[in-house]
Coordinates of all heavy atoms in Angstrom, one line a residue:
M1 N -0.2 -16.2 12.5 CA 1.2 -15.8 12.6 C 1.3 -14.3 12.9 O 0.4 -13.8 13.6 CB 1.9 -16.1 11.3 CG 2.9 -17.3 11.5 SD 4.2 -17.2 10.2 CE 4.8 -15.5 10.3
S2 N 2.3 -13.7 12.4 CA 2.5 -12.3 12.7 C 1.4 -11.4 12.0 O 1.2 -11.5 10.8 CB 3.9 -11.9 12.3 OG 4.1 -12.1 11.0
A3 N 0.8 -10.6 12.8 CA -0.2 -9.6 12.2 C 0.3 -8.2 12.5 O 0.8 -7.9 13.6 CB -1.6 -9.8 12.8
L4 N 0.3 -7.4 11.5 CA 0.8 -6.1 11.6 C -0.3 -5.1 11.3 O -1.2 -5.4 10.5 CB 2.0 -5.9 10.6 CG 3.1 -6.9 10.8 CD1 4.0 -6.9 9.5 CD2 3.9 -6.5 12.0
N5 N -0.2 -3.9 11.8 CA -1.2 -2.9 11.5 C -1.1 -2.4 10.0 O -0.1 -2.2 9.5 CB -1.0 -1.7 12.4 CG -1.4 -2.0 13.9 OD1 -2.3 -2.9 14.1 ND2 -0.8 -1.3 14.8
C6 N -2.3 -2.3 9.4 CA -2.3 -1.7 8.1 C -1.8 -0.2 8.2 O -2.1 0.5 9.1 CB -3.8 -1.7 7.6 SG -4.0 -0.9 6.0
P7 N -1.0 0.2 7.2 CA -0.4 1.5 7.3 C -1.4 2.7 7.0 O -1.0 3.8 7.2 CB 0.7 1.5 6.2 CG 0.3 0.4 5.3 CD -0.4 -0.6 6.1
N8 N -2.6 2.3 6.6 CA -3.6 3.4 6.4 C -4.1 3.8 7.7 O -4.7 3.0 8.5 CB -4.7 2.8 5.5 CG -5.8 3.8 5.3 OD1 -5.7 5.0 5.8 ND2 -6.8 3.4 4.6
P9 N -3.8 5.1 8.1 CA -4.2 5.6 9.5 C -5.7 5.6 9.7 O -6.2 5.6 10.8 CB -3.6 7.0 9.5 CG -3.4 7.4 8.1 CD -3.2 6.1 7.3
A10 N -6.5 5.5 8.6 CA -7.9 5.5 8.7 C -8.5 4.1 8.8 O -9.7 3.9 8.8 CB -8.6 6.2 7.5
C11 N -7.6 3.2 8.8 CA -8.0 1.7 8.8 C -7.5 1.1 10.1 O -6.4 1.3 10.5 CB -7.4 1.1 7.5 SG -7.6 -0.7 7.5
E12 N -8.3 0.2 10.6 CA -7.9 -0.4 11.9 C -7.7 -1.9 11.6 O -7.5 -2.7 12.6 CB -8.9 -0.2 13.0 CG -9.0 1.3 13.4 CD -10.0 1.5 14.5 OE1 -10.8 0.5 14.8 OE2 -10.0 2.6 15.1
A13 N -7.7 -2.3 10.4 CA -7.4 -3.7 10.1 C -6.0 -4.1 10.2 O -5.1 -3.2 10.4 CB -7.9 -4.0 8.7
Q14 N -5.7 -5.3 10.1 CA -4.3 -5.8 10.1 C -3.9 -6.4 8.8 O -4.7 -6.9 8.1 CB -4.1 -6.8 11.3 CG -4.4 -6.1 12.6 CD -3.9 -7.0 13.8 OE1 -4.1 -8.2 13.8 NE2 -3.2 -6.3 14.7
R15 N -2.6 -6.3 8.6 CA -2.1 -6.9 7.3 C -1.2 -8.1 7.7 O -0.7 -8.2 8.9 CB -1.3 -5.9 6.5 CG 0.0 -5.4 7.2 CD 0.7 -4.4 6.4 NE 1.9 -3.9 7.1 CZ 3.1 -4.4 7.1 NH1 3.3 -5.6 6.4 NH2 4.1 -3.9 7.8
R16 N -1.0 -9.0 6.8 CA 0.0 -10.1 7.1 C 1.4 -9.7 6.7 O 1.6 -8.8 5.9 CB -0.4 -11.3 6.2 CG -1.7 -12.0 6.6 CD -2.1 -12.9 5.5 NE -3.4 -13.5 5.7 CZ -3.6 -14.6 6.5 NH1 -2.5 -15.3 7.0 NH2 -4.8 -15.1 6.7
A17 N 2.4 -10.3 7.3 CA 3.7 -10.0 6.9 C 3.9 -10.4 5.5 O 3.4 -11.4 5.0 CB 4.7 -10.9 7.8
G18 N 4.6 -9.5 4.7 CA 4.8 -9.8 3.3 C 3.7 -9.0 2.5 O 3.9 -9.0 1.3
Q19 N 2.7 -8.5 3.1 CA 1.7 -7.7 2.4 C 1.9 -6.2 2.8 O 2.2 -5.9 3.9 CB 0.3 -8.1 2.7 CG 0.0 -9.5 2.2 CD -1.4 -9.9 2.7 OE1 -1.9 -9.5 3.7 NE2 -2.0 -10.8 1.9
Y20 N 1.7 -5.3 1.8 CA 1.8 -3.9 2.2 C 0.7 -3.4 3.0 O 0.8 -2.5 3.8 CB 1.9 -3.1 0.9 CG 3.2 -3.3 0.1 CD1 3.2 -3.3 -1.3 CD2 4.4 -3.4 0.8 CE1 4.4 -3.4 -2.0 CE2 5.6 -3.5 0.1 CZ 5.6 -3.6 -1.3 OH 6.7 -3.7 -2.0
L21 N -0.5 -3.9 2.6 CA -1.8 -3.3 3.2 C -2.7 -4.5 3.6 O -2.5 -5.6 3.2 CB -2.5 -2.4 2.2 CG -1.7 -1.3 1.6 CD1 -2.5 -0.7 0.4 CD2 -1.4 -0.3 2.6
C22 N -3.8 -4.1 4.3 CA -4.8 -5.1 4.5 C -5.5 -5.3 3.2 O -5.4 -4.5 2.3 CB -5.8 -4.7 5.6 SG -6.9 -3.4 5.1
W23 N -6.3 -6.4 3.1 CA -7.0 -6.7 1.8 C -7.9 -5.6 1.4 O -8.0 -5.3 0.2 CB -7.8 -8.0 1.9 CG -6.9 -9.2 1.9 CD1 -6.7 -10.1 2.9 CD2 -6.1 -9.7 0.8 NE1 -5.8 -11.1 2.5 CE2 -5.4 -10.8 1.2 CE3 -5.8 -9.2 -0.5 CZ2 -4.5 -11.5 0.4 CZ3 -4.9 -9.8 -1.3 CH2 -4.3 -11.0 -0.8
D24 N -8.7 -5.0 2.3 CA -9.6 -4.0 1.9 C -8.9 -2.8 1.3 O -9.4 -2.2 0.3 CB -10.4 -3.5 3.1 CG -11.5 -4.5 3.5 OD1 -11.7 -5.4 2.7 OD2 -12.0 -4.4 4.6
C25 N -7.8 -2.3 1.9 CA -7.1 -1.2 1.4 C -6.4 -1.5 0.1 O -6.4 -0.7 -0.9 CB -6.1 -0.6 2.4 SG -6.8 0.1 3.9
W26 N -5.9 -2.7 0.0 CA -5.3 -3.2 -1.2 C -6.3 -3.1 -2.4 O -6.0 -2.6 -3.5 CB -4.7 -4.6 -1.0 CG -4.0 -5.1 -2.3 CD1 -4.4 -6.0 -3.1 CD2 -2.7 -4.7 -2.8 NE1 -3.5 -6.3 -4.1 CE2 -2.5 -5.5 -3.9 CE3 -1.7 -3.8 -2.3 CZ2 -1.3 -5.3 -4.7 CZ3 -0.6 -3.6 -3.1 CH2 -0.3 -4.4 -4.2
D27 N -7.5 -3.7 -2.1 CA -8.5 -3.7 -3.1 C -9.0 -2.3 -3.5 O -9.5 -2.1 -4.6 CB -9.7 -4.5 -2.6 CG -9.5 -6.0 -2.7 OD1 -8.6 -6.4 -3.4 OD2 -10.2 -6.8 -2.1
A28 N -8.8 -1.4 -2.6 CA -9.3 0.0 -2.9 C -8.3 0.8 -3.8 O -8.7 1.8 -4.3 CB -9.5 0.8 -1.6
L29 N -7.1 0.3 -3.9 CA -6.1 1.0 -4.7 C -6.5 0.9 -6.2 O -7.0 -0.1 -6.6 CB -4.7 0.4 -4.5 CG -4.0 0.5 -3.2 CD1 -2.7 -0.3 -3.2 CD2 -3.7 2.0 -2.8
P30 N -6.2 2.0 -6.9 CA -6.4 1.9 -8.4 C -5.6 0.7 -9.0 O -4.5 0.4 -8.5 CB -5.9 3.2 -8.9 CG -5.9 4.2 -7.7 CD -5.6 3.3 -6.5
G31 N -6.1 0.1 -10.0 CA -5.4 -1.0 -10.6 C -3.9 -0.8 -11.0 O -3.1 -1.6 -10.7
P32 N -3.6 0.4 -11.6 CA -2.2 0.6 -12.0 C -1.3 0.7 -10.8 O -0.2 0.3 -10.8 CB -2.3 2.0 -12.7 CG -3.7 2.0 -13.3 CD -4.5 1.4 -12.2
T33 N -1.9 1.3 -9.7 CA -1.1 1.4 -8.4 C -0.8 0.0 -7.9 O 0.3 -0.3 -7.5 CB -1.8 2.3 -7.4 OG1 -2.0 3.6 -7.9 CG2 -1.1 2.3 -6.1
R34 N -1.8 -0.8 -7.9 CA -1.6 -2.2 -7.4 C -0.5 -2.9 -8.3 O 0.3 -3.6 -7.8 CB -2.9 -3.0 -7.5 CG -3.8 -2.8 -6.3 CD -4.7 -4.0 -6.1 NE -5.5 -4.3 -7.3 CZ -6.7 -3.7 -7.6 NH1 -7.2 -2.9 -6.8 NH2 -7.3 -4.0 -8.7
G35 N -0.6 -2.7 -9.6 CA 0.3 -3.3 -10.5 C 1.7 -2.9 -10.2 O 2.7 -3.7 -10.2
A36 N 1.9 -1.5 -10.0 CA 3.2 -1.0 -9.7 C 3.8 -1.5 -8.4 O 4.9 -1.9 -8.3 CB 3.2 0.5 -9.7
L37 N 2.9 -1.6 -7.4 CA 3.4 -2.1 -6.1 C 3.7 -3.6 -6.1 O 4.4 -4.1 -5.2 CB 2.3 -1.8 -5.0 CG 2.2 -0.3 -4.6 CD1 0.9 -0.2 -3.8 CD2 3.4 0.1 -3.8
S38 N 3.1 -4.3 -7.1 CA 3.4 -5.7 -7.1 C 4.7 -6.1 -7.7 O 5.2 -7.2 -7.7 CB 2.3 -6.4 -7.9 OG 1.0 -6.3 -7.3
S39 N 5.4 -5.1 -8.4 CA 6.7 -5.3 -9.0 C 7.8 -5.3 -7.9 O 7.9 -4.2 -7.2 CB 7.0 -4.2 -10.0 OG 6.0 -4.2 -11.0
R40 N 8.4 -6.4 -7.7 CA 9.5 -6.4 -6.7 C 10.8 -6.2 -7.3 O 11.7 -7.1 -7.4 CB 9.4 -7.7 -5.9 CG 8.1 -8.1 -5.3 CD 7.8 -7.2 -4.1 NE 6.5 -7.4 -3.6 CZ 6.3 -7.9 -2.3 NH1 7.3 -8.2 -1.6 NH2 5.1 -8.0 -1.9
D41 N 11.1 -5.0 -7.8 CA 12.4 -4.7 -8.3 C 13.1 -3.6 -7.5 O 12.7 -3.4 -6.3 CB 12.2 -4.2 -9.8 CG 11.3 -3.0 -9.9 OD1 11.1 -2.3 -8.8 OD2 10.8 -2.7 -11.0
D42 N 14.1 -2.9 -8.1 CA 14.9 -2.0 -7.3 C 14.1 -0.8 -6.8 O 14.5 -0.1 -5.8 CB 16.1 -1.5 -8.1 CG 17.1 -2.5 -8.3 OD1 17.0 -3.6 -7.7 OD2 18.0 -2.3 -9.2
L43 N 12.9 -0.5 -7.4 CA 12.1 0.6 -7.1 C 11.0 0.3 -6.0 O 10.3 1.1 -5.6 CB 11.5 1.2 -8.3 CG 12.4 2.0 -9.2 CD1 11.7 2.4 -10.5 CD2 13.0 3.2 -8.6
A44 N 11.0 -1.0 -5.7 CA 9.9 -1.4 -4.8 C 9.9 -0.6 -3.5 O 8.9 -0.2 -3.0 CB 10.0 -2.9 -4.5
I45 N 11.1 -0.4 -2.9 CA 11.2 0.4 -1.6 C 10.7 1.8 -1.8 O 10.1 2.4 -1.0 CB 12.6 0.3 -1.1 CG1 12.6 0.9 0.3 CG2 13.6 0.9 -2.0 CD1 11.8 0.2 1.4
V46 N 11.0 2.4 -3.0 CA 10.6 3.8 -3.3 C 9.1 3.8 -3.4 O 8.5 4.8 -2.9 CB 11.2 4.3 -4.6 CG1 10.8 5.7 -4.9 CG2 12.8 4.2 -4.5
R47 N 8.5 2.8 -4.1 CA 7.0 2.8 -4.2 C 6.4 2.7 -2.8 O 5.4 3.3 -2.5 CB 6.6 1.6 -5.0 CG 7.1 1.7 -6.5 CD 6.4 0.6 -7.3 NE 7.1 0.5 -8.6 CZ 8.0 -0.4 -8.9 NH1 8.5 -1.2 -8.0 NH2 8.6 -0.4 -10.1
L48 N 7.0 1.9 -1.9 CA 6.4 1.7 -0.6 C 6.5 3.0 0.2 O 5.6 3.4 0.9 CB 7.2 0.6 0.1 CG 6.7 0.2 1.5 CD1 5.2 -0.3 1.4 CD2 7.5 -0.9 2.1
Q49 N 7.6 3.7 0.0 CA 7.8 5.0 0.7 C 6.7 6.0 0.2 O 6.2 6.8 1.0 CB 9.2 5.6 0.4 CG 10.3 4.8 1.2 CD 11.7 5.2 0.8 OE1 11.9 5.8 -0.3 NE2 12.7 4.8 1.5
I50 N 6.5 6.0 -1.1 CA 5.4 6.9 -1.6 C 4.1 6.5 -1.0 O 3.3 7.4 -0.6 CB 5.4 6.8 -3.2 CG1 6.6 7.4 -3.8 CG2 4.1 7.5 -3.7 CD1 6.8 7.1 -5.2
L51 N 3.8 5.2 -1.0 CA 2.5 4.7 -0.4 C 2.4 5.2 1.0 O 1.3 5.8 1.4 CB 2.5 3.2 -0.5 CG 1.3 2.5 0.1 CD1 0.1 2.8 -0.9 CD2 1.5 1.0 0.2
H52 N 3.4 5.1 1.8 CA 3.3 5.5 3.2 C 3.2 7.0 3.4 O 2.5 7.5 4.2 CB 4.5 5.0 4.0 CG 4.4 3.5 4.3 ND1 5.2 2.8 5.2 CD2 3.6 2.5 3.8 CE1 4.9 1.5 5.2 NE2 3.9 1.3 4.4
R53 N 3.8 7.7 2.5 CA 3.8 9.2 2.5 C 2.4 9.6 2.2 O 1.8 10.6 2.8 CB 4.8 9.8 1.6 CG 5.0 11.3 1.8 CD 6.3 11.7 1.0 NE 6.2 11.5 -0.4 CZ 7.2 11.1 -1.2 NH1 8.4 10.9 -0.7 NH2 7.0 10.9 -2.5
E54 N 1.8 9.0 1.2 CA 0.4 9.4 0.8 C -0.6 9.1 2.0 O -1.4 9.9 2.3 CB 0.0 8.6 -0.4 CG 0.7 8.9 -1.7 CD 0.4 10.2 -2.2 OE1 -0.7 10.4 -2.9 OE2 1.2 11.2 -2.0
F55 N -0.4 8.0 2.6 CA -1.3 7.7 3.8 C -1.1 8.7 4.9 O -2.0 9.1 5.5 CB -1.0 6.2 4.3 CG -1.7 5.2 3.5 CD1 -1.1 4.0 3.1 CD2 -3.1 5.3 3.2 CE1 -1.8 3.0 2.4 CE2 -3.8 4.3 2.5 CZ -3.1 3.2 2.1
A56 N 0.2 9.0 5.1 CA 0.5 10.0 6.2 C -0.1 11.3 5.9 O -0.4 12.1 6.8 CB 2.0 10.1 6.3
A57 N -0.3 11.6 4.6 CA -0.9 12.9 4.2 C -2.4 12.8 4.2 O -3.1 13.8 3.8 CB -0.3 13.3 2.8
G58 N -2.9 11.7 4.5 CA -4.4 11.5 4.6 C -5.1 11.2 3.3 O -6.3 11.3 3.2
V59 N -4.3 10.8 2.3 CA -4.9 10.4 1.0 C -5.5 9.1 1.1 O -4.9 8.1 1.6 CB -3.8 10.4 -0.1 CG1 -4.4 10.0 -1.5 CG2 -3.1 11.7 -0.2
P60 N -6.8 8.9 0.7 CA -7.5 7.6 0.8 C -6.9 6.7 -0.3 O -6.4 7.1 -1.3 CB -9.0 7.9 0.5 CG -8.9 9.3 -0.2 CD -7.7 10.0 0.2
P61 N -7.0 5.4 0.0 CA -6.3 4.4 -0.9 C -6.8 4.6 -2.4 O -5.9 4.4 -3.3 CB -6.8 3.1 -0.4 CG -7.3 3.3 1.0 CD -7.6 4.8 1.1
H62 N -8.0 4.9 -2.7 CA -8.5 4.9 -4.1 C -8.0 6.1 -4.8 O -8.2 6.2 -6.0 CB -10.0 4.8 -4.1 CG -10.7 6.0 -3.5 ND1 -11.0 6.1 -2.2 CD2 -11.1 7.2 -4.1 CE1 -11.6 7.3 -2.0 NE2 -11.7 8.0 -3.1
E63 N -7.3 7.0 -4.1 CA -6.7 8.2 -4.8 C -5.2 8.1 -4.9 O -4.6 9.1 -5.3 CB -7.2 9.5 -4.0 CG -8.6 9.8 -4.2 CD -9.0 11.1 -3.5 OE1 -8.1 11.8 -3.0 OE2 -10.2 11.3 -3.4
I64 N -4.6 7.1 -4.4 CA -3.2 7.0 -4.4 C -2.7 6.5 -5.8 O -3.1 5.4 -6.2 CB -2.7 6.0 -3.3 CG1 -3.0 6.7 -1.9 CG2 -1.2 5.8 -3.4 CD1 -2.6 5.8 -0.8
E65 N -1.9 7.3 -6.4 CA -1.4 6.9 -7.8 C 0.1 6.7 -7.7 O 0.8 7.6 -7.3 CB -1.7 8.0 -8.8 CG -3.2 8.1 -9.0 CD -3.6 9.1 -10.1 OE1 -2.7 9.6 -10.8 OE2 -4.8 9.5 -10.1
I66 N 0.6 5.5 -8.0 CA 2.0 5.2 -8.1 C 2.2 4.6 -9.5 O 1.7 3.6 -9.8 CB 2.4 4.3 -7.0 CG1 2.1 4.9 -5.6 CG2 3.9 3.9 -7.1 CD1 2.4 3.9 -4.4
D67 N 3.1 5.3 -10.3 CA 3.3 4.7 -11.6 C 4.8 4.7 -11.9 O 5.2 4.9 -13.0 CB 2.5 5.5 -12.6 CG 2.8 7.0 -12.6 OD1 3.7 7.4 -11.8 OD2 2.2 7.8 -13.4
L68 N 5.6 4.4 -10.9 CA 7.0 4.3 -11.1 C 7.3 3.0 -11.8 O 6.7 2.0 -11.5 CB 7.8 4.3 -9.8 CG 7.9 5.6 -9.1 CD1 8.6 5.4 -7.8 CD2 8.6 6.7 -9.9
Ligands
ZN101 ZN1 -6.3 -1.2 5.6

């Protein structure tokens, strides 16, 4: 089905629609960050914006901390 580019600029893998990242980048995120991103509440879009901003700044997935 639809394959989209992983938002990590250092990654050339693809993600599925409905997923924020490819599996490798997702697995590389710290546990608390994964947990925060898995919450689909009113702050989900804010978390996603933070995630993309961190990637844009060159932060590797294992150093991205999101605790909203
Ligand atoms: Zn990736």
Side-chain angles (χ1 to χ4, degrees):
M1 248 205 50
S2 57
L4 304 163
N5 288 330
C6 176
N8 179 358
C11 174
E12 296 182 347
Q14 298 195 312
R15 65 179 176 88
R16 292 169 185 271
Q19 293 177 331
Y20 290 144
L21 304 172
C22 73
W23 284 116
D24 285 346
C25 292
W26 180 255
D27 282 344
L29 293 174
T33 297
R34 278 204 305 270
L37 286 168
S38 296
S39 303
R40 303 290 177 115
D41 57 18
D42 289 349
L43 289 174
I45 186 66
V46 180
R47 297 188 191 95
L48 187 58
Q49 288 169 345
I50 294 171
L51 180 69
H52 285 194
R53 194 167 60 216
E54 295 288 283
F55 277 135
V59 181
H62 66 273
E63 291 181 8
I64 295 180
E65 294 182 13
I66 299 175
D67 56 3
L68 289 177

